[in-house]
Amino acid sequence: MSDGYDPDFLGIPLRLPSPEVETIRLDYPRFSVLLDPVRRFAALTAVVIDGATLRDVPRSGEWRLDPRAPESQAGPDVYSRNDLDRGHLVRRRDPGWGTVSEARDATAATFFYTNAAPQAAGFNQSKELWLGLEDHVLAYADSTDQRLAVFTAPVLDDADPPYRGIRVPLRFWKVAAWRSPEGLAAAGFVLDQTALVDTREGLTVAPLGAFRTFQVPIREIAAEARIDMGDLAGADVLARAGARATGAREVGAPSDIVL
């Protein structure tokens, strides 16, 4: 089953955002990856989530290369013998909805290296918040039909530090979109691990450092990541009438998020 991202899933047409660079599109159950073959990481991932039918299936799947693009993805050598995690871009849980069989197949598909990017190992409050953003937005969207489209990727900056033949992304972005009573709504976020990762002498990860999570205007994310966000920018809750201002807002707890 390789149905990929569904642009009509929210009941409002929402096309896939378009990176400036050439990419390889790879479809998986309920999600798609646009792979940058030069950087060997995803320039964009897109998943649709039906919160009403999410399944809590046991973790299954081993990290593996996608044979459709064997030379275009950063593989196990990047993550061995260091303090880097293979960070899921599409969360394991997000496509795991529908029947038990469908949920199991979809969550297992998130373990392809095309869906991974290096993140500093270990958890703290800010990373737990990042991993739970979809759940928080789903809870907010409960008044409609609990459906989300979520787009996530590293910011592939030319200044990212080199390591083992790749460049380690220092920032990650996420945009969640849902259907509100007024129409399409969206919120954008950035996770910054700059203070944690140092590749000048091999690789070191600061053991007590903090990930920093920000809510950021989607237009700024589009400019930084060099991606055409289409209708998402105009649907940004930070830009709607009456919302507090523009610019990045650091998020320390769910109560800091503007929805």
Side-chain angles (χ1 to χ4, degrees):
M1 182 172 61
S2 299
D3 47 352
Y5 170 74
D6 179 358
D8 298 313
F9 184 75
L10 299 181
I12 302 172
L14 182 60
R15 68 168 175 82
L16 204 61
S18 176
E20 288 183 4
V21 298
E22 290 190 16
T23 59
I24 300 169
R25 177 167 176 164
L26 300 168
D27 289 333
Y28 303 92
R30 281 78 181 264
F31 71 98
S32 295
V33 173
L34 300 186
L35 188 64
D36 181 338
V38 175
R39 285 296 303 267
R40 297 168 61 203
F41 295 117
L44 177 81
T45 67
V47 61
V48 291
I49 308 169
D50 184 355
T53 64
L54 275 172
R55 299 272 184 177
D56 188 15
V57 297
R59 183 184 179 94
S60 64
E62 298 290 335
W63 285 101
R64 59 204 187 278
L65 295 169
D66 190 321
R68 294 175 292 178
E71 303 300 323
S72 301
Q73 55 200 291
D77 290 349
V78 170
Y79 303 93
S80 64
R81 304 181 306 281
N82 57 36
D83 289 326
L84 290 177
D85 278 344
R86 289 164 291 202
H88 276 80
L89 297 173
V90 172
R91 285 194 314 172
R92 182 187 71 86
R93 181 172 181 256
D94 284 352
W97 48 269
T99 68
V100 173
S101 176
E102 289 171 340
R104 186 184 302 115
D105 289 345
T107 57
T110 65
F111 285 90
F112 281 107
Y113 276 105
T114 52
N115 186 44
Q119 292 183 355
F123 283 82
N124 57 32
Q125 182 179 358
S126 54
K127 189 170 182 181
E128 289 172 355
L129 172 63
W130 176 260
L131 293 175
L133 280 172
E134 288 96 327
D135 295 332
H136 183 72
V137 179
L138 274 171
Y140 179 81
D142 189 32
S143 60
T144 56
D145 58 3
Q146 284 192 300
R147 286 191 163 201
L148 293 182
V150 179
F151 310 93
T152 309
V155 177
L156 299 178
D157 194 314
D158 293 339
D160 290 337
Y163 178 68
R164 294 186 178 177
I166 54 97
R167 290 186 175 273
V168 177
L170 297 180
R171 292 175 297 156
F172 297 81
W173 62 269
K174 185 184 300 289
V175 173
W178 64 98
R179 189 184 69 199
S180 74
E182 292 76 34
L184 183 67
F189 304 90
V190 169
L191 175 76
D192 192 330
Q193 65 175 0
T194 302
L196 297 180
V197 176
D198 187 346
T199 65
R200 286 174 296 182
E201 296 182 13
L203 180 138
T204 57
V205 174
L208 299 178
F211 293 86
R212 302 182 71 193
T213 300
F214 301 85
Q215 186 168 359
V216 178
I218 294 171
R219 292 187 190 279
E220 292 185 16
I221 295 175
E224 288 288 326
R226 301 190 299 276
I227 291 178
D228 178 358
M229 293 287 185
D231 292 339
L232 291 167
D236 192 348
V237 293
L238 281 184
R240 69 187 176 187
R244 237 179 99 192
T246 58
R249 303 163 45 92
E250 187 157 7
V251 174
S255 58
D256 297 330
I257 296 172
V258 173
L259 295 175

